[in-house]
Amino acid sequence: MIYRPGDRVALVHTTDPHTDLAEGDEGTVRRYDANLSQLSVDWDSGSTLSMLLDDGDEVRPA
């Protein structure tokens, strides 16, 4: 899937054990690097945790 800045996403799963994000949290895509499968998201909660899509993190369109 291709993500564009401004797209809205919701968290399905993250492998990061240190985040307070939970399934269903929503955010806005800031940047997507297809080569690294890294999705930078400005989460509505204030978090800026990036999703590593090849390492088990998963989002869906919001």
Side-chain angles (χ1 to χ4, degrees):
M1 180 168 189
I2 300 296
Y3 298 95
R4 292 180 178 80
D7 285 352
R8 296 284 295 165
V9 295
L11 181 65
V12 174
H13 173 76
T14 181
T15 58
D16 188 329
H18 305 290
T19 184
D20 290 331
L21 291 172
E23 181 180 344
D25 284 352
E26 295 186 1
T28 303
V29 172
R30 183 171 12 104
R31 181 174 180 269
Y32 176 58
D33 185 328
N35 293 327
L36 298 176
S37 292
Q38 183 175 358
L39 183 65
S40 299
V41 179
D42 291 328
W43 297 98
D44 294 350
S45 66
S47 174
T48 56
L49 182 69
S50 293
M51 298 286 99
L52 303 176
L53 302 177
D54 282 348
D55 291 338
D57 292 338
E58 185 179 351
V59 297
R60 62 172 172 76

